Amino acid sequence: MMWRRARSSAGVNIRKLSTAVRRRIEDEGDWSYASEWWGTESEGHTVLRSKSDKGNGVVSVVAYPSSKPSELHWASTERWLQKRYEEIHGCLEQNDRFRVLGYQWRALRFNDDTRQSTVKVLAAYRQSEPGVFAVMQQPHCLAVPYLKSMISAGLAAIASCDYNLMDAVTGNESMRILCIGHGGGSLPLFLASKIQGAVVDIVEIDPLVISASVKAMGFPAFSVVTPSGKRAVSKPDTMDEVLWKGIHERLFLYESDAEEFILNNTSLYDMIFIDAYDGEDIFPHKLWDPHSPFLKALSNRLHPEHGTVVVNLHSDTEILNPDGSAPSILQQTLPMGKYVSGVCRAYKDVVVGNGNSCGGKDSGLGFTVSVPWVCNTSLVVCRGFGVKGGHSNRDVIMNTLISKSFELENVLNLPFSCLQYIKRGFIVVD
């Protein structure tokens, strides 16, 4: 599918930011749009395809047309690009304006079957260089429901741990975040764009996935870090500065094995997000083995008072047997579902223990929520949860999280409600 040249007619700016009144903007990543990208490879246009030597099989990126935002609203984005350029580089010549080519969904696939991630991208160009266009991932658009679940449950949990999230959101305090598993990069990009104080380290074992996210899925190129710890790109080009200045400086994308990275790292993280599945849809055992060096080191890298870990799990709960086992006919295609309880127990025991104090506070808790529309579960384990003496009371815990989630929606101006991602299938990990 080729990008169409945008018409030069003026559009209407329907997005007006207001800090006084809460008005939820349209969620362009709502699951109702999944029909636009939830197709076979033949229904889209392949923009990248290559064989991985890191266990992910054939890695491909497939593009699909996006219905939102419509062409009527592209002019407002062109004005935004123009303003950004002038803020950074000064006035731009009248005949060298920015033009929007359009929007697409870009789906990252492993072995043509596993949909690893889906993002929405904007393509734009400068009139002085009509043959060169930049692709920008839309950071506000979380297309896959489990990402919204991880964000909602994880941030509500750390906000319940006497952690001043507002200072991090406004940039008054730094918030150290680690993302294990990169995919298209929508999770770290969302966090860095919504939380001004967020400094996000990202670990991805497969260089092909990193390349795909940057070249085909619009992730900031300036974020890539070499093994020596320096930026792979010494200085972002003009278009990258226009698109990402203020955000890409706080993203650090490392090519590394997760265990090696965490064992050799000395940083202390406020939050750690884990979404690390291979081409066979397997969550590596060493990342949840309670006796592994990885989990012990991860626990040591987590802030002792409010550290929070969020793990995406393929639960398959809606099609498991009543005892939690997978039907024999599905055991090969749904390999992780039967291990969910073991993963939850391992993280809970290693990160917060069994009632021992941590940092002078209650040891914390673990809980899971099921993700609507897809067979995923979000596991959250956090330290210092702010419900004194109430850790065994499911309703008290959930009400605390719900209260914080309402605050999150307002502070972050989220395009979606956190409520459904916190209440659905809520279970406290004993």
Side-chain angles (χ1 to χ4, degrees), residues 15 64 68 109 148 164 169 181 200 212 220 225 233 265 278 323 379 398 410 415-416:
R15 293 187 176 184
Y64 302 90
K68 297 287 182 128
R109 293 170 176 257
K148 294 176 181 176
N164 193 335
V169 170
V200 187
V225 177
V233 178
N265 197 349
D278 62 20
D323 63 358
L379 165 67
M398 187 167 65
N410 287 304
F416 55 88

Side-chain angles (χ1 to χ4, degrees), residues 209-424:
V209 171
I210 293 175
S211 178
S213 73
V214 172
K215 294 180 179 179
M217 305 184 79
F219 195 81
F222 189 62
S223 66
V224 180
V225 177
T226 66
S228 65
K230 297 181 179 180
R231 297 281 190 182
V233 178
S234 59
K235 186 179 186 301
D237 62 27
T238 299
M239 198 64 176
D240 278 349
E241 280 193 305
V242 171
L243 297 175
W244 298 116
K245 188 173 179 61
I247 294 178
H248 61 186
E249 301 93 339
R250 296 182 283 109
L251 291 166
F252 299 85
L253 175 51
Y254 297 86
E255 177 195 332
S256 175
D257 173 81
E259 185 176 49
E260 291 180 6
F261 182 88
I262 206 75
L263 287 173
N264 297 318
N265 197 349
T266 59
S267 299
L268 195 64
Y269 293 103
D270 301 298
M271 295 194 76
I272 299 177
F273 291 86
I274 303 176
D275 180 21
Y277 286 81
D278 62 20
E280 300 299 323
D281 234 8
I282 298 293
F283 186 31
H285 185 248
K286 68 178 183 179
L287 299 187
W288 59 274
D289 180 355
H291 306 294
S292 71
F294 171 80
L295 268 185
K296 182 178 179 180
L298 180 140
S299 180
N300 291 335
R301 300 274 64 80
L302 200 61
H303 195 285
E305 296 186 352
H306 57 252
T308 300
V309 181
V310 187
V311 187
N312 171 46
L313 298 172
H314 291 187
S315 65
D316 313 322
T317 53
E318 296 180 359
I319 45 182
L320 293 181
N321 293 323
D323 63 358
S325 63
S328 57
I329 194 173
L330 295 176
Q331 285 181 357
Q332 296 304 312
T333 57
L334 302 172
M336 277 309 299
K338 57 187 176 181
Y339 298 114
V340 166
S341 60
V343 176
C344 295
R345 169 55 59 193
Y347 273 85
K348 168 67 162 50
D349 287 351
V350 174
V351 174
V352 302
N354 293 299
N356 297 322
S357 62
C358 180
K361 294 180 178 289
D362 292 346
S363 61
L365 60 82
F367 66 87
T368 61
V369 289
S370 57
V371 182
W373 303 296
V374 292
C375 295
N376 289 66
T377 289
S378 293
L379 165 67
V380 179
V381 180
C382 55
R383 293 170 168 171
F385 194 85
V387 182
K388 300 297 183 181
H391 288 175
S392 62
N393 189 321
R394 173 187 178 277
D395 291 338
V396 171
I397 295 170
M398 187 167 65
N399 288 338
T400 301
L401 292 169
I402 290 173
S403 175
K404 292 296 182 182
S405 75
F406 290 141
E407 296 177 19
L408 285 174
E409 292 176 25
N410 287 304
V411 169
L412 297 178
N413 193 27
L414 295 179
F416 55 88
S417 170
C418 296
L419 186 61
Q420 64 179 320
Y421 299 102
I422 291 177
K423 291 185 65 174
R424 191 176 191 272

Side-chain angles (χ1 to χ4, degrees), residues 33-52:
Y33 295 113
S35 59
E36 296 185 357
W37 54 266
W38 192 273
T40 63
E41 187 172 5
S42 62
E43 294 173 335
H45 171 69
T46 301
V47 295
L48 180 145
R49 185 177 178 87
S50 188
K51 181 69 178 295
S52 167

Side-chain angles (χ1 to χ4, degrees), residues 58-78:
V58 176
V59 175
S60 60
V61 177
V62 184
Y64 302 90
S66 171
S67 62
K68 297 287 182 128
S70 68
E71 193 168 343
L72 177 66
H73 306 132
W74 294 359
S76 62
T77 300
E78 292 172 351

